[in-house]
């Protein structure tokens, strides 16, 4: 995506985009096989902001061996990228996925799929966090992001 392509998109009515950034932690990005260049991400988001395109990104926490420093890096990235909005989700080990196999291998799935578990309120724990702690961390990520957006709007 470059200035010319995005400008044409805006002229045709494009006004909002969502980036699947997933994590601000290089370690977690490697784990999920997400190859991101943070400078390029920042460049494209800045370009969108300049052209008036609303920017949103999705982030995921709660991978089996993810530690607090990786989750904090994701929280920081959501703010540092200059996004208009961010969504935070908790990783879910859906049957048939590599993530499911990782959860199983780590002994984090004992009774199969947990009924009622979701990306907002997971019933799965990781090697470092209980499911309740992951929900609190997800809530904290939202609070930090929204607080930053409010403060930056009041004092640009």
């Amino acid at each position: 995506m470059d200035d010319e392509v995005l400008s044409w998109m805006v002229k045709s009515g494009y006004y909002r985009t969502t980036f699947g950034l997933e994590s601000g932690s290089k370690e977690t990005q490697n784990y999920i096989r997400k190859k991101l260049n943070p400078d390029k991400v920042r460049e494209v988001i800045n370009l969108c902001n300049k052209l008036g395109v609303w920017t949103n990104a999705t982030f995921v926490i709660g991978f089996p061996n993810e530690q607090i420093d990786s989750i904090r890096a994701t929280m920081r990235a959501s703010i540092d990228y200059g996004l208009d909005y961010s969504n935070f989700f908790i990783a879910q080990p859906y049957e048939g996925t590599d993530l499911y196999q990782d959860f199983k291998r780590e002994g984090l799935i004992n009774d199969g799929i947990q009924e009622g578990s979701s990306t907002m309120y997971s019933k799965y724990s990781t090697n470092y966090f209980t499911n309740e702690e992951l929900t609190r961390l997800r809530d904290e990520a939202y609070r930090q992001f929204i607080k930053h957006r409010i403060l930056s709007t009041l004092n640009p």
Side-chain angles (χ1 to χ4, degrees), residues 76-121:
R76 278 191 306 279
S78 73
I79 291 169
D80 293 345
Y81 279 135
L83 296 158
D84 292 311
Y85 198 74
S86 291
N87 295 98
F88 301 92
F89 302 103
I90 302 170
Q92 292 296 288
Y94 296 116
E95 203 163 3
T97 64
D98 290 345
L99 185 59
Y100 180 86
Q101 293 306 317
D102 290 348
F103 267 78
K104 204 167 180 183
R105 189 173 19 262
E106 294 288 332
L108 299 168
I109 296 178
N110 300 321
D111 302 324
I113 297 296
Q114 295 293 315
E115 194 69 33
S117 185
S118 73
T119 58
M120 298 304 283
Y121 301 101

Side-chain angles (χ1 to χ4, degrees), residues 112-132:
I113 297 296
Q114 295 293 315
E115 194 69 33
S117 185
S118 73
T119 58
M120 298 304 283
Y121 301 101
S122 181
K123 291 191 177 180
Y124 297 98
S125 296
T126 69
N127 285 322
Y128 294 95
F129 302 102
T130 65
N131 59 323
E132 293 92 357

Side-chain angles (χ1 to χ4, degrees), residues 1-49:
M1 184 168 303
D2 61 22
D3 193 19
E4 182 182 3
V5 171
L6 195 55
S7 292
W8 279 106
M9 291 169 67
V10 169
K11 285 177 186 172
S12 72
Y14 187 73
Y15 67 94
R16 179 180 57 191
T17 191
T18 299
F19 301 98
L21 301 180
E22 318 311 353
S23 180
S25 161
K26 194 67 173 163
E27 182 178 288
T28 300
Q29 289 172 6
N30 289 338
Y31 169 73
I32 61 175
R33 298 185 291 274
K34 186 85 171 192
K35 305 295 182 209
L36 291 179
N37 176 336
D39 295 330
K40 182 65 176 173
V41 169
R42 197 169 281 109
E43 176 187 320
V44 172
I45 291 170
N46 287 338
L47 179 59
C48 287
N49 290 337

